[in-house]
Amino acid sequence: MTPLQPVLARAIHRTPLLLLDVAHRGRVRRLGLKLEEHGPTGSVKDRSAVALLRALHDERPLAPGTVVVESTSGNLGLALARLLPAIDCVFLAVVDLKTPHTTLRTLTERGARTIVVDEPDGQGGYLLTRLRTVRELCARNPAYRWPNQYENPAAPDIHRRTTGPEITEQAGPRLGAVYIPVSTGGTLAGIGAHLRQRRPDIAVVAVDVTGSTAVSGGTGRRLIPGIGASRPSVLLKGPGSYDRAVRVDDIEAIAVCRILAEDTGLVLGGSSGCAVRALLSDQDDGHADGRIAVCLAADGGEKYHDTLYSDDWAGERGIVKEIAAAMERLRREGLFFDRKHQEH
C-alpha cells in the first residue's frame, strides 16, 4: 500500500443530518440540514479532495515533492492543504479577492503557496481568470499536476458513492427533495446520480444564485463564495441531471443565514442559506408535498464571520440596508426555525 492510500482512507467522515422545523407563510415543514462542516476541514470538499487526489495518483503516482496546483474559492483548497503535506507533496492554491481572509491564513499555516488573482473575469467573478492562471502555470511547469475539480468525473463519483447514500439513509423513506448548491456541479451531479438510481421518487433541486451561469441565466454581481460560477458546469449533463433549478438572490440568502443563526445558534456558510431560501421559494410555488426536504449545508460559517455575518463588510459593499430589509420581510412572512430534533 502506498503512503497515499491510508491518508485518503482516513479523510472522509460521515456527517450528521440535523432535523429542524421551518415555518414560513403559515406553513411548517420538516427540514434536514446535511452538515458537511463536520468533515475534517469543515466542508463537503473534503470528499472531493479525496477523490481528486486518488484519481490523480491512479493516473500517475504522486511522488514526494510533486506540486499540485488547483483553482479554488476556498474549501477545496483547505482540504487539499490538509492532505498533500501528509504525502510530502506541495500545494499551490490559485485563489481570488473574494476568498475569506481566514481561509487564506489557514492555507498559509498549512504550508500551501497561494497566488491571488485580482482581475475580474467579466462574468461577475474571478473563475475564468483563476483557470487561465492555472493553465499558464502548468504550461510553464510541465511537472505540475492539476486535479481540475471543474471537469474531473472523480468529483461527482465520490458524492454518488458517499454523500448521496448517507442522505437517503439518514432521512429515511419520508425524504421528498434534496436541495444542492451548484458551483462546479460535482456535488449535484453525484448526489443526483445516486437518487436517480436508488430513489427516483425524490426531487433533485439545483440551487444557483442570481448573477451565475453555473446552471443557467446571466452573469452579474455575486457576493457569496462557494456557489455560482462564471461559466456553465461541465459536470452537469444538461437538465436531466436534476428535476428543477431555483435561482436565489444572494442578499436574501445572507438574510436566511442570519435568521437561522438567531433562531438556532447554527452558523452556516452562504451556500447553505441559498439552499434553504430555494426550499422556501419552492414551497411558495407549490412544490412542497409534506415530506422531508434536505438541504446540503456545504460548510460552516466560522470563516465568514468577517464577511457574510459582518455589518462592516456589508457596509463596505453598500448592502447593510438591503440585508436588514430582507430579514425584516422574511420575519413578517413568518420565517422561523425550530431546532428541537436530534442529529442522525
Side-chain angles (χ1 to χ4, degrees):
M1 180 177 285
T2 68
L4 178 75
Q5 301 305 335
V7 170
L8 298 185
R10 296 189 298 268
I12 293 182
H13 295 187
R14 180 184 174 93
T15 58
L17 183 75
L18 175 66
L19 295 178
L20 309 172
D21 285 338
V22 54
H24 185 239
R25 295 184 184 272
R27 293 181 291 266
V28 178
R29 189 173 188 185
R30 185 62 51 82
L31 162 66
L33 294 174
K34 180 62 169 164
L35 298 176
E36 289 299 297
E37 65 179 296
H38 289 270
T41 66
S43 88
V44 72
K45 291 295 188 178
D46 283 310
R47 302 175 191 261
S48 304
V50 168
L52 292 168
L53 290 182
R54 185 173 286 140
L56 210 60
H57 185 72
D58 288 346
E59 177 186 291
R60 188 170 75 252
L62 288 167
T66 299
V67 175
V68 175
V69 57
E70 182 60 285
S71 157
T72 174
S73 61
N75 283 332
L76 182 68
L78 292 173
L80 291 173
R82 172 179 176 265
L83 293 172
L84 286 167
I87 56 171
D88 296 321
C89 291
V90 178
F91 179 42
L92 176 56
V94 179
V95 296
D96 60 59
L97 295 179
K98 291 169 64 177
T99 305
H101 294 303
T102 53
T103 297
L104 290 172
R105 184 171 63 249
T106 303
L107 287 171
T108 301
E109 289 171 351
R110 290 179 177 165
R113 293 155 47 192
T114 59
I115 294 177
V116 182
V117 303
D118 58 6
E119 178 189 342
D121 60 13
Q123 303 296 316
Y126 296 89
L127 173 61
L128 302 183
T129 309
R130 282 193 270 123
L131 290 174
R132 186 185 70 219
T133 301
V134 170
R135 292 188 181 97
E136 291 171 351
L137 287 166
C138 291
R140 293 197 302 267
N141 303 275
Y144 283 10
R145 306 290 300 279
W146 179 22
N148 193 358
Q149 62 166 320
Y150 307 93
E151 300 182 17
N152 194 326
D157 188 61
I158 194 73
H159 297 293
R160 180 187 63 81
R161 293 187 292 107
T162 66
T163 323
E166 284 179 29
I167 290 172
T168 51
E169 178 190 342
Q170 291 167 322
R174 293 195 62 242
L175 178 60
V178 182
Y179 292 77
I180 307 163
V182 180
S183 179
T184 66
T187 307
L188 172 61
I191 295 175
H194 165 74
L195 294 175
R196 287 282 188 266
Q197 182 178 15
R198 300 294 184 182
R199 290 288 304 276
D201 60 303
I202 296 171
V204 181
V205 186
V207 180
D208 204 355
V209 287
T210 303
S212 163
T213 59
V215 175
S216 63
T219 58
R221 179 193 73 174
R222 297 196 303 277
L223 298 168
I224 299 174
I227 185 170
S230 301
R231 69 176 195 179
S233 168
V234 175
L235 296 172
L236 296 175
K237 308 304 181 184
S241 302
Y242 50 88
D243 290 292
R244 58 183 176 271
V246 181
R247 295 172 66 79
V248 175
D249 177 80
D250 48 15
I251 294 291
E252 292 211 339
I254 294 170
V256 167
C257 283
R258 294 187 179 196
I259 290 172
L260 183 62
E262 286 180 355
D263 291 350
T264 68
L266 196 63
V267 181
L268 297 178
S271 68
S272 306
C274 292
V276 176
R277 185 65 184 101
L279 162 67
L280 299 177
S281 298
D282 241 9
Q283 186 165 276
D284 291 343
D285 291 339
H287 290 295
D289 61 4
R291 294 189 291 170
I292 295 172
V294 167
C295 292
L296 183 82
D299 65 352
E302 292 298 321
K303 67 177 77 70
Y304 308 114
H305 274 307
D306 57 355
T307 55
L308 305 180
Y309 292 91
S310 167
D311 282 343
D312 290 339
W313 172 85
E316 292 171 0
R317 285 150 186 79
I319 57 173
V320 171
K321 291 183 178 179
E322 291 181 66
I323 295 173
M327 292 180 69
E328 182 180 351
R329 182 174 62 256
L330 288 166
R331 286 298 198 189
R332 283 200 310 268
E333 293 170 356
L335 181 60
F336 180 76
F337 297 93
D338 186 3
R339 179 177 181 172
K340 62 183 179 184
H341 302 286
Q342 299 299 312
E343 295 178 357
H344 289 69

